[in-house]
Amino acid sequence: MNGAQDLGGMMGFGPVMPEKDEPFFHAPWEKRAMAVTLAMGAAGSWPLDAGRHARESLPPAEYLSSSYYEIWIKGLIKLLLAKGLVIEAELAEGRAIEPAKPVRRVIKAAEVPAALLAGARCDRAVTQPARFAAGDRVRTRNEHKPTHTRLPRYARGHVGTIVEAHTMFVLPDSNAHDGGENPEWLYTVRFAGSELWGREADPTLAVMLDLWESYLDPA
């Protein structure tokens, strides 16, 4: 969706100012925010893509005025409410009121390092041939869905070249909304900076994006 998270190429936000020797966390509560979010992700009540959509669908003014981990917590609260794992009164009072609902899995502290190291595979068995191959020129579809997508706004309707066809991966667009995994081929596509940003772009600039097959048409 065209939310506040999709800032690529937008003006008016000033330069990116990296923080020298930035710590992993700026306050103790951020550690807990990350831990709680990952623990609930491991519980299996929603897929990774649903978590992304919960964060990106925050109202723009709220998203842009929130810190990184504030966004994580606000997205988590949306999912917990939607799944009935918490109620508004519990959030207001900061304590459990209703009996806890069961989840698929409760991850233990000792299991966390191995789980983070292993990650979660999203590649799937190939069930159909790839539509494109390295060297093919493609144009991204200019679609503005109100639902989740991994096709950034700045790259829609532009021409690029396939660098590599990977394999079939879970399609985030459907997986975020309980529509099933619907695996598709995933491609790395190279875009010239001038194609995305116009003639005044740095002539040496190129952008590589990993894009699903349904995002692409032959150019």
Side-chain angles (χ1 to χ4, degrees):
M1 64 178 297
N2 295 341
Q5 87 292 343
D6 202 352
L7 290 175
M10 292 186 66
M11 298 179 179
F13 289 92
V16 176
M17 303 293 288
E19 182 180 345
K20 186 178 180 180
D21 300 322
E22 182 179 6
F24 290 117
F25 304 100
H26 290 83
W29 73 265
E30 293 185 338
K31 295 181 182 181
R32 187 166 181 82
M34 180 179 180
V36 171
T37 302
L38 294 179
M40 284 309 305
S45 297
W46 53 77
L48 173 66
D49 300 305
R52 288 195 175 113
H53 180 69
R55 293 189 287 273
E56 71 185 18
S57 58
L58 290 170
E62 183 176 3
Y63 187 100
L64 294 172
S65 62
S66 301
S67 69
Y68 181 76
Y69 283 109
E70 285 175 338
I71 291 170
W72 274 40
I73 288 297
K74 290 176 180 180
L76 177 60
I77 288 172
K78 288 181 64 175
L79 290 168
L80 292 171
L81 288 169
K83 297 297 182 180
L85 296 174
V86 71
I87 60 174
E88 292 281 3
E90 291 173 323
L91 293 173
E93 295 190 24
R95 64 180 182 89
I97 297 174
E98 296 186 346
K101 291 188 176 181
V103 294
R104 294 180 185 177
R105 180 188 178 199
V106 176
I107 192 169
K108 306 297 184 181
E111 300 170 339
V112 171
L116 291 178
L117 185 63
R121 296 187 67 98
C122 295
D123 54 324
R124 297 293 183 264
V126 173
T127 58
Q128 62 190 50
R131 186 182 181 194
F132 304 107
D136 289 350
R137 285 172 57 80
V138 293
R139 182 183 295 276
T140 55
R141 295 182 179 178
N142 189 16
E143 298 176 334
H144 297 265
K145 302 176 181 178
T147 50
H148 184 62
T149 184
R150 300 304 299 276
L151 175 58
R153 179 170 42 195
Y154 68 82
R156 296 174 194 166
H158 288 286
V159 174
T161 302
I162 300 289
V163 175
E164 183 177 356
H166 295 285
T167 188
M168 298 185 75
F169 279 76
V170 173
L171 179 65
D173 304 48
S174 61
N175 198 44
H177 303 285
D178 297 323
E181 292 190 341
N182 298 316
E184 291 185 4
W185 276 89
L186 183 70
Y187 304 89
T188 295
V189 185
R190 181 186 186 277
F191 298 89
S194 57
E195 170 68 21
L196 298 177
W197 316 123
R199 291 179 297 175
E200 296 183 356
D202 181 347
T204 66
L205 176 66
V207 177
M208 304 281 193
L209 297 175
D210 287 336
L211 302 175
W212 276 260
E213 194 167 84
S214 60
Y215 299 170
L216 307 172
D217 288 313

